[in-house]
C-alpha cells in the first residue's frame, strides 16, 4: 500500500504555542510505556492466534490435491535459481573476504582537509544551521497548522504541517506515531483537567473503537493526552450475550469513522462509528453521556450545528440522514437519499440549511424544517468524499470525489453553477477542508502525492465569480462558554 492521506483538518492562526514543548521522559516513565506496549502486543498476538486456529480447517481442504503440492517446491526452486543468477554478477558470496591489495593510508587521506569550524570551511555556505532550525520550529502568529492522517504500509502518523500564505511555505513541523489506521481528525480546545483553560488538541478516530486525543503543542509525545473508550471493546463483542451484559462497554465496539466537536458546549464531542451508533462524549469525565441508536448501518459522517449547541446531524451507509435535538434524543427527523451518505456540512450562511453528499455522486441541499431538498446536484461520477463550504465567501462550495476531480460551485440562491473543475493528479481523493482564516485556501488528501494545498482564487474563473463577493466572518458565542450561544455575521 502506498502512502495515503485519509483525513485532513485545519487549526486557526494564533492557537498553537509559539515554541512547542519537547517530551523528556524519566527512566521510570520509559519503562512503564515499554511494559504497556509489550502487554498490548501480546494481546494482539493472542487474538491473531485465535483467528489462525479458526482458519486451519480451510487450509487443510486446500491441500487435498497431491499433484498441486508436488509442484510448489519445484516452482520455488526455479525462482531461487533465477535470483541466484541475477545476484551472481555482484559477487556477494565473496563480500566478506579481505582485500589482498595493500594500500597506503596516506594515499587515501591525501586530499582530505579538516576545518575546525563551519565558518572556516569555504564549501559550506550556510554557516549556522541551528538558526534556521529554530525558526522552523517556532510557530508564528500568522501560521496555520494543517493536521493530516497518513497511512503507509508499515506505520501510520498524524502529521502536523505549518502553512504560511504570506511566505508561501508549507512543511511538516512534527508528527505523531499512531496505533492504527487513521479515519478522521477533529481539533478541539478542551481538557478534562479543570486547571487547563486553553489547549491545542486533536482527536483522532481510527480502525479501533478507541478515540485518542493528542496534544499538538508537544513534540515527540509517545502517548495521547487522554483517550475515550477502549481498544478491547471489539474483542468483547465476540463474547456471548450473557458476558456482554455482565461487562457493559463504555464506548464504541467498532471503528470510529467521524468526529465533531461542539464549539458552544466545549466538553461535548460527538463520534460516529461502524457499530451503527452515535455517541455524545462528556470530555470532563471522558465517558459517554448519551448513545444514539437511529441508524441501521455504519455512521459515516456527523456535524454539530455552528450556532445551536443542541442540534446534530448524522449520515449513514443506510442512505439516511438524521437530525437530533440532543436535549431530547428521542425526537429526531430523518431524510432518505439515493445512496450511502458520504459527507454532511451545515451552511453557516443559511443556518437552517445543510448539504449532504452520497456515494452515487449527488449533492443535496436541504432545509432542516422541510422534507424536500432545495436543490439536487449531480456533482461527480463517483462518491463525493469532500463537501466543504468556504469559511467566509457566501455560496462558494468545493467538492472532491473518488473520480479524482475537485470542483468549485456557486450555489448562491440555491441555483448551483459549476465554476471550475480540475483533475488533481492525486488518484482517488479522500478528504478536503477549508482554511478558517483564508476563504479561498483548501487542503486535500488522496491516494498518492501527500498533502495538496490549493488557493482556488488563482483560477481566473473563480476570481471572476467570487473575487468581488463580500466576505462574511462568522462570530459564534465565546468558546469558553458552557451554554448554547448566539451568532451574528460581520461584513468585511
Amino acid at each position: 500500500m502506498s502512502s495515503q492521506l485519509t483525513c485532513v483538518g485545519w487549526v486557526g492562526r494564533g492557537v498553537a504555542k509559539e515554541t512547542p514543548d519537547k517530551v523528556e521522559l524519566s527512566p521510570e516513565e520509559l519503562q512503564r510505556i515499554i511494559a504497556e506496549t509489550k502487554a498490548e502486543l501480546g494481546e494482539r498476538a493472542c487474538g491473531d492466534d485465535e483467528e489462525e486456529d479458526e482458519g486451519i480447517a480451510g487450509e487443510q481442504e486446500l491441500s487435498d490435491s497431491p499433484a498441486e503440492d508436488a509442484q510448489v517446491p519445484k516452482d520455488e526452486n526455479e525462482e531461487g535459481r533465477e535470483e541466484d543468477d541475477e545476484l551472481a554478477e555482484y559477487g556477494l558470496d565473496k563480500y566478506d573476504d579481505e582485500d589482498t591489495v595493500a594500500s597506503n593510508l596516506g594515499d587515501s587521506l591525501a586530499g582530505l582537509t579538516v576545518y575546525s569550524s563551519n565558518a572556516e570551511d569555504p564549501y559550506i555556505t550556510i554557516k549556522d544551521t541551528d538558526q534556521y532550525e529554530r525558526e522552523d520550529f517556532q510557530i508564528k502568529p500568522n501560521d496555520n497548522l494543517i493536521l493530516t492522517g497518513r497511512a503507509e504500509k508499515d506505520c501510520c502518523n498524524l502529521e502536523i504541517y505549518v502553512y504560511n500564505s504570506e511566505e508561501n511555505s508549507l512543511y511538516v513541523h512534527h508528527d505523531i506515531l499512531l496505533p492504527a489506521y487513521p479515519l478522521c481528525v477533529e481539533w478541539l480546545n478542551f481538557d478534562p483537567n479543570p486547571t487547563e483553560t486553553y489547549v491545542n488538541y486533536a482527536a483522532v478516530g481510527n480502525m479501533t473503537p478507541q478515540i485518542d486525543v493528542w496534544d499538538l503543542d508537544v513534540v515527540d509525545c509517545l502517548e495521547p493526552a487522554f483517550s475515550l473508550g477502549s481498544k478491547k471493546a471489539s474483542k468483547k463483542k465476540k463474547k456471548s450475550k450473557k458476558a456482554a451484559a455482565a461487562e457493559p462497554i463504555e464506548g464504541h465496539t467498532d471503528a470510529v469513522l467521524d468526529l465533531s466537536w461542539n464549539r458552544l458546549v466545549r466538553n461535548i464531542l460527538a463520534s460516529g462509528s461502524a457499530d451503527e451508533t452515535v455517541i455524545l462524549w462528556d470530555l470532563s469525565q471522558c465517558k459517554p453521556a448519551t448513545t444514539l441508536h437511529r441508524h441501521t448501518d455504519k455512521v459515516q459522517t456527523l456535524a454539530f450545528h455552528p450556532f445551536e449547541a443542541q442540534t446534530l446531524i448524522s449520515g449513514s451507509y443506510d442512505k439516511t440522514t438524521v437530525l437530533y435535538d440532543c436535549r431530547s434524543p428521542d425526537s429526531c427527523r430523518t431524510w432518505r437519499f439515493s445512496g450511502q451518505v458520504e459527507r454532511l456540512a451545515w451552511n453557516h450562511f443559511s443556518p437552517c440549511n445543510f448539504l449532504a453528499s452520497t456515494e452515487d455522486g449527488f449533492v443535496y441541499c436541504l432545509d432542516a424544517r422541510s422534507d424536500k431538498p432545495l436543490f439536487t446536484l449531480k456533482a461527480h461520477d463517483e462518491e463525493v468524499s469532500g463537501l466543504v463550504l468556504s469559511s467566509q465567501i457566501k455560496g462558494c462550495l468545493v467538492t472532491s470525489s473518488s473520480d479524482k476531480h475537485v470542483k468549485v460551485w456557486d450555489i448562491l440562491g440555491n441555483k448551483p453553477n459549476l465554476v471550475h473543475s480540475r483533475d488533481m493528479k492525486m488518484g482517488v481523493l479522500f478528504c478536503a477542508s477549508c482554511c478558517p482564516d483564508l476563504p479561498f485556501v483548501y487542503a486535500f488528501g488522496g491516494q498518492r502525492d501527500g498533502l495538496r494545498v490549493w488557493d482556488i482564487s488563482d483560477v481566473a474563473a473563480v476570481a471572476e465569480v467570487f473575487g468581488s463577493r463580500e466576505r462574511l466572518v462568522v462570530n459564534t458565542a465565546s468558546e469558553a462558554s458552557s451554554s448554547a450561544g448566539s451568532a451574528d455575521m460581520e461584513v468585511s
Side-chain angles (χ1 to χ4, degrees), residues 234-255:
S234 58
K235 296 181 181 179
K236 290 183 178 179
K237 74 175 184 177
K238 297 179 181 178
K239 298 181 180 179
S240 64
K241 294 181 179 179
K242 292 182 179 179
E247 301 179 13
I249 296 172
E250 285 194 348
H252 291 295
T253 58
D254 209 335

Side-chain angles (χ1 to χ4, degrees), residues 335-339 354-367 370-380 384 387 397 399 409-411 413-418:
W335 291 263
R336 182 167 291 277
F337 301 100
S338 58
F354 67 90
L355 297 162
S357 67
T358 59
E359 63 170 342
D360 51 0
F362 282 94
V363 171
Y364 299 86
C365 180
L366 299 111
D367 189 321
S370 175
D371 294 331
K372 296 182 179 181
L374 299 174
F375 68 77
T376 301
L377 170 66
K378 177 62 174 175
H380 291 271
V384 183
L387 182 71
L397 171 68
T399 59
W409 306 86
D410 181 9
I411 62 169
N414 296 324
K415 297 178 180 178
N417 292 308
L418 179 62

Side-chain angles (χ1 to χ4, degrees), residues 411-484:
I411 62 169
L412 195 64
N414 296 324
K415 297 178 180 178
N417 292 308
L418 179 62
V419 178
H420 182 69
S421 176
R422 174 176 292 185
D423 184 347
M424 300 297 288
K425 307 296 183 183
M426 298 170 63
V428 174
L429 296 171
F430 297 134
C431 51
S433 184
C434 180
C435 178
D437 303 300
L438 302 166
F440 290 115
V441 177
Y442 289 77
F444 302 93
Q447 194 174 14
R448 59 176 184 267
D449 292 348
L451 175 68
R452 184 77 57 84
V453 178
W454 181 25
D455 186 344
I456 62 173
S457 64
D458 292 339
V459 179
V462 174
E464 181 180 353
V465 174
F466 299 108
S468 59
R469 194 168 294 182
E470 61 186 6
R471 299 191 180 190
L472 305 176
V473 182
V474 180
N475 289 333
T476 59
S478 173
E479 291 182 354
S481 172
S482 61
S483 60

Side-chain angles (χ1 to χ4, degrees), residues 41-57:
L41 293 174
E43 292 177 359
R44 291 185 183 179
C46 292
D48 293 340
D49 292 340
E50 292 176 2
E51 293 177 0
E52 289 176 3
D53 292 340
E54 294 175 359
I56 288 177

Side-chain angles (χ1 to χ4, degrees), residues 5 7 61 65 101 106 113 117 176 231 270 289 301 350 355 376 412 430 437 452 482:
L5 250 61
C7 51
E61 293 177 0
S65 175
V101 179
T113 304
S117 66
I176 298 170
K231 292 180 182 178
T301 176
S350 301
L355 297 162
T376 301
L412 195 64
F430 297 134
D437 303 300
R452 184 77 57 84
S482 61

